Amino acid sequence: MRQKPLLLIMKEAMTWLLALSILGPLSLIVVNSLKTATEANTVTMNLPLKLQWVNYMEAFEGGSLLHSFFNSLLMSSVSAAISILVTSMAAFVLVRNRDRWNKMIYNYFFLGLVAPLNYVTTIKVLQALHLQNTFPGIILVFATLGIPFAVFLFYGFISSVPTELDEAAIIDGCGLGRLFFNVVFPLLMPVTITGFILNFLGAWNDFVTPLYLLNKQDKLGMINAIYNYFGVHFNEWNMIFTIIVLTVLPVLFLYLIGQKYIISGMVSGSLKG
Amino acid sequence: MQNKKIYSRLFVVPAFVLYTILFILPVLGGLYYSFTNWSAMKPTITFIGLDNYKEIFFSSGSYLKSIYHTLSFTLYTVVFKLGIGLVLALLLNEGLKTKKVLRTVFFLPYMLSPLIIGIIFISILGPDGPLNMVLRFIGLDHLTHSWLTEKNVVLGSTMGVEIWRMVGWNMVIILAGLQTISKSYYEAASLDGAGRWKQFTQITIPFLMPTLMIAMILNMIHGLRVFEIIYALTNGGPGDLTEVINTQVYKEFSMGRYGMSNALSMVAFIFTLMIAYLIKLVSSREEAAS
């Protein structure tokens, strides 16, 4: 379909106009994070009189922000790693041996894609395991929340990995452990990256799970810390936005370097649905 | 290969155990406790049958309203997310020069925590906030509202924010669907003299149908689960005007009425199950068709 260049330019301009509705609100955060408290009292698009970089210094004062940052980093990365490890192993066996039981197990995992987690009873389970309000507890819950989609993701990818490699490795005397970790797992890199990023971001951005399960101020991650800060400093938009920018930066960084993987994960989730 | 014995189910055990204990068990437990009066105020848990559900569906409280709000939130957001997502995908699929940058921009909100988006929009939707300023600037003064407090617009405002967040996600999914349609169909149609509109209705839409169905179902699941956006923007208020099932679940939980909280969760779960059944219908129909 060839089109007139003028028409194409008009379409491009129109799409950028629509994109302003996304970029506008986002630039608003950055602009207002650089104002004084009085300037930012009502949030406007006016540029700051003088750039208040000092807000960013102030945000780190007292160390509680850095503390929440490392909490987030710990919970997100460890839970993503656990999730990837257990699901890639499970998906490998489920793909390679599609007997009746394994098909049922796959469907059992699939249920988790539609059903929402019941937080109230999860608290009771964590209490019984003596993991309530602990990092291991919340990390395991985050990892579990990632399992259904990751199983689905790995299952689709491993289906396309040829079995000849398996056969050669088995003839060479590999057991299941060496076959998977030394031969197959390195081939899964693209989907491992996708799965890791999606699980990491899922945990990083999750507000609800810690809201129910983590009743300890010193263990909260960035998102829940922002909400608590917002509750106390309701009108200090400059500082609220400063903290938001600092929370979003790592996400933005991951998004920009891993965009290819993130989008391929999203798309495979919907096309093979 | 003959011998599948090497693929031991031991490898499934860690994922299976984690998922069973921390996902399935709580869901089943939730079902059980929804028939009880489990509460922080009572020393014992007694089985009360369907009483919680009766209270949800037949009392004059906000429960029924929250179900109604959840369903209309889901319906409206699904329609607009898909519609706008489709338009954007079609625009980007035209061979725009800055397609990649635009895709990055539109998908960006999906990468942010819904809670953060909620907080950002509290500032944008205020009476003197940037949205009203823009409306005044372009002369649409009569369209300005106090978006988060006025009775007739507040639920719509929360929907708008959710749509803003998810439009790019829908665009990406639909764009991928569009790219699976072979160019040769369009070339053949052009040779036969079919116009752009005819090509759209006769080729694009039918081939895109499976993608649109899946996207619709996923959007419905997202819609029924809505919580953070509303919790941050209005916390269900003013009054109970934006109360949805999951804000009620949290409120009952904070009041220590765990049995009731579970019953409300179950109601949301049942709606989701109906959608899961829809998925099964769609996918089995597709298998039959292919």
Side-chain angles (χ1 to χ4, degrees), chain B residues 124-143:
Chain B
I124 292 176
L125 298 176
D128 296 316
L131 178 62
N132 280 346
M133 283 191 331
V134 169
L135 287 173
R136 283 187 201 115
F137 182 72
I138 53 179
L140 295 170
D141 294 59
H142 59 286
L143 284 182

Side-chain angles (χ1 to χ4, degrees), chain A residues 124-166:
Chain A
K124 220 173 161 63
V125 173
L126 289 177
Q127 273 172 350
L129 297 169
H130 300 290
L131 290 175
Q132 199 205 8
N133 280 329
T134 65
F135 280 131
I138 190 103
I139 285 172
L140 288 177
V141 173
F142 277 140
T144 305
L145 283 172
I147 285 178
F149 190 70
V151 166
F152 176 71
L153 211 59
F154 276 107
Y155 194 89
F157 193 86
I158 295 173
S159 302
S160 66
V161 176
T163 54
E164 280 80 4
L165 278 169
D166 293 33

Side-chain angles (χ1 to χ4, degrees), chain A residues 88-89 92-93 95-97 158 161-188, chain B residues 1 3-8 11:
Chain A
S88 61
M89 285 164 61
F92 179 58
V93 167
V95 168
R96 285 299 192 252
N97 182 10
I158 295 173
V161 176
T163 54
E164 280 80 4
L165 278 169
D166 293 33
E167 288 165 35
I170 291 165
I171 290 166
D172 283 349
C174 279
L176 179 60
R178 269 182 58 204
L179 164 64
F180 179 70
F181 289 107
N182 294 356
V183 181
V184 178
F185 193 73
L187 299 174
L188 306 180
Chain B
M1 195 162 47
N3 195 354
K4 301 235 170 204
K5 266 196 194 136
I6 183 166
Y7 301 112
S8 159
F11 256 42

Side-chain angles (χ1 to χ4, degrees), chain A residues 56-176:
Chain A
Y56 284 83
M57 308 296 286
E58 201 179 300
F60 284 103
E61 264 166 35
S64 71
L65 186 76
L66 218 54
H67 189 78
S68 319
F69 179 85
F70 283 113
N71 286 346
S72 280
L73 198 64
L74 172 79
M75 294 189 281
S76 311
S77 52
V78 177
S79 66
I82 293 175
S83 200
I84 292 305
L85 178 70
V86 299
T87 51
S88 61
M89 285 164 61
F92 179 58
V93 167
L94 294 181
V95 168
R96 285 299 192 252
N97 182 10
R98 300 188 195 209
D99 63 11
R100 204 162 51 95
W101 280 102
N102 284 353
K103 277 184 186 153
M104 271 165 62
I105 295 173
Y106 179 69
N107 284 331
Y108 177 67
F109 282 127
F110 196 81
L111 196 69
L113 278 183
V114 278
L117 176 61
N118 188 316
Y119 288 107
V120 184
T121 37
T122 304
I123 298 177
K124 220 173 161 63
V125 173
L126 289 177
Q127 273 172 350
L129 297 169
H130 300 290
L131 290 175
Q132 199 205 8
N133 280 329
T134 65
F135 280 131
I138 190 103
I139 285 172
L140 288 177
V141 173
F142 277 140
T144 305
L145 283 172
I147 285 178
F149 190 70
V151 166
F152 176 71
L153 211 59
F154 276 107
Y155 194 89
F157 193 86
I158 295 173
S159 302
S160 66
V161 176
T163 54
E164 280 80 4
L165 278 169
D166 293 33
E167 288 165 35
I170 291 165
I171 290 166
D172 283 349
C174 279
L176 179 60

